[in-house]
Amino acid sequence: MIIVTNRIRVKKGMGAVMAPGFTAPGPLDTMEGFVKVEVLLTQNLTDHDELSVNMY
């Protein structure tokens, strides 16, 4: 299995707003071999929030 991780820095407080957009149903769901998307949110950073988007 291959896992691709993208780390995205966003404005403080915006991580929780943006996270659902990555897991919403879309064209990615129909691609051959696609298993799932997982979003991890780090909010305890001083300057920004960080989203780690894992695609399996």
Side-chain angles (χ1 to χ4, degrees), residues 11-41:
K11 284 184 180 180
K12 200 90 172 115
M14 292 300 293
V17 174
M18 293 184 65
F22 290 100
T23 57
L28 184 63
D29 297 330
T30 62
M31 291 188 71
E32 183 179 341
F34 175 76
V35 177
K36 67 177 180 175
V37 174
E38 177 180 72
V39 180
L40 306 173
L41 175 58

Side-chain angles (χ1 to χ4, degrees), residues 8-22 39 41-43 47-51:
I8 303 165
R9 290 182 179 181
V10 297
K11 284 184 180 180
K12 200 90 172 115
M14 292 300 293
V17 174
M18 293 184 65
F22 290 100
V39 180
L41 175 58
T42 305
Q43 295 178 302
D47 298 336
H48 58 274
D49 289 349
E50 185 173 273
L51 295 165

